[in-house]
Amino acid sequence: MTVYQRIKKILFSLIMFAVALFFFINPSDDAYRIVVGILSIGLAIAGIKDIVFYFRMARHMVGGKMILIQGVIILDFAIITGSFTNVPKIYILLYLIGIHAFSGVVEILRSMEARRTVDGPWKMKFFHGIVNFILAIACLIFIRRSNTALIIYSLGLMYSAVVRLFDAFGKTTFVVIE
């Protein structure tokens, strides 16, 4: 990771943490619209980024079509998320449960694969998956509370910001093929 990439990751994680802290301290109805907007824009950027990456490079790679499919699915989630501005909060909670449970299971599976194939930081991915799954369970337990979606989204965002910050300060591993 270059110095510019580290600085960019550090600044982005600090902004993420500040926004999450603001939502955690001030859970209002206007904050729901802001969260839905942030989620929608973030997912749209990630989906478009994957699609562009497919057309620029991944179509020549083994398994490159999976990146295209992933980009299209993420872009679909962005469109669905953008339509959640005027729906009851329980639907947003169900959506958060689905996102956290799915990403938790995916991270756990990725960590298990990394544990088998690479001697590296699989423990952090495993812990990240467990935390996402715990957030999904917390959403399910506190589904009747009014500000639960915003508080749990804020906690997840804070945790992601801290993980990104640790990742920015961590050592970069290189694979050398002789």
Side-chain angles (χ1 to χ4, degrees), residues 100-166:
H100 281 298
F102 180 74
S103 64
V105 168
V106 167
E107 281 293 319
I108 289 171
L109 292 174
R110 285 178 62 202
S111 71
M112 291 299 160
E113 182 182 358
R115 181 179 177 198
R116 279 185 270 127
T117 59
V118 180
D119 292 332
W122 65 271
K123 292 176 186 175
M124 183 64 107
K125 286 184 181 183
F126 183 77
F127 187 70
H128 188 65
I130 294 293
V131 168
N132 270 333
F133 206 71
I134 289 171
L135 286 174
I137 291 171
C139 276
L140 194 59
I141 291 171
F142 299 112
I143 201 165
R144 298 266 183 217
R145 310 264 174 141
S146 62
N147 291 328
T148 303
L150 196 58
I151 291 171
I152 290 182
Y153 176 74
S154 300
L155 290 174
L157 202 60
M158 282 185 218
Y159 176 73
S160 293
V162 169
V163 167
R164 288 177 72 89
L165 197 61
F166 281 136

Side-chain angles (χ1 to χ4, degrees), residues 4-176:
Y4 174 71
Q5 288 172 333
R6 285 186 196 274
I7 291 172
K8 190 169 79 169
K9 193 172 247 190
I10 290 168
L11 288 176
F12 187 72
S13 63
L14 290 175
I15 290 170
M16 273 177 59
F17 194 83
V19 168
L21 192 63
F22 173 74
F23 287 148
F24 189 76
I25 292 171
N26 186 15
S28 64
D29 287 335
D30 291 334
Y32 276 104
R33 291 193 177 112
I34 295 170
V35 166
V36 168
I38 289 172
L39 273 174
S40 180
I41 290 170
L43 287 171
I45 290 170
I48 291 169
K49 196 165 121 179
D50 281 350
I51 292 170
V52 168
F53 177 68
Y54 169 76
F55 285 113
R56 293 183 82 199
M57 184 182 294
R59 65 182 169 168
H60 305 294
M61 296 170 28
V62 174
K65 286 186 182 179
M66 290 302 294
I67 294 173
L68 176 65
I69 293 168
Q70 175 183 324
V72 170
I73 290 172
I74 291 173
L75 193 58
D76 287 343
F77 274 124
I79 293 168
I80 290 170
T81 304
S83 68
F84 278 167
T85 55
N86 294 324
V87 297
K89 294 176 185 176
I90 193 152
Y91 294 121
I92 296 171
L93 270 174
L94 292 173
Y95 188 67
L96 271 176
I97 290 169
I99 287 174
H100 281 298
F102 180 74
S103 64
V105 168
V106 167
E107 281 293 319
I108 289 171
L109 292 174
R110 285 178 62 202
S111 71
M112 291 299 160
E113 182 182 358
R115 181 179 177 198
R116 279 185 270 127
T117 59
V118 180
D119 292 332
W122 65 271
K123 292 176 186 175
M124 183 64 107
K125 286 184 181 183
F126 183 77
F127 187 70
H128 188 65
I130 294 293
V131 168
N132 270 333
F133 206 71
I134 289 171
L135 286 174
I137 291 171
C139 276
L140 194 59
I141 291 171
F142 299 112
I143 201 165
R144 298 266 183 217
R145 310 264 174 141
S146 62
N147 291 328
T148 303
L150 196 58
I151 291 171
I152 290 182
Y153 176 74
S154 300
L155 290 174
L157 202 60
M158 282 185 218
Y159 176 73
S160 293
V162 169
V163 167
R164 288 177 72 89
L165 197 61
F166 281 136
D167 188 41
F169 286 115
K171 289 183 180 178
T172 305
T173 58
F174 291 100
V175 176
V176 178

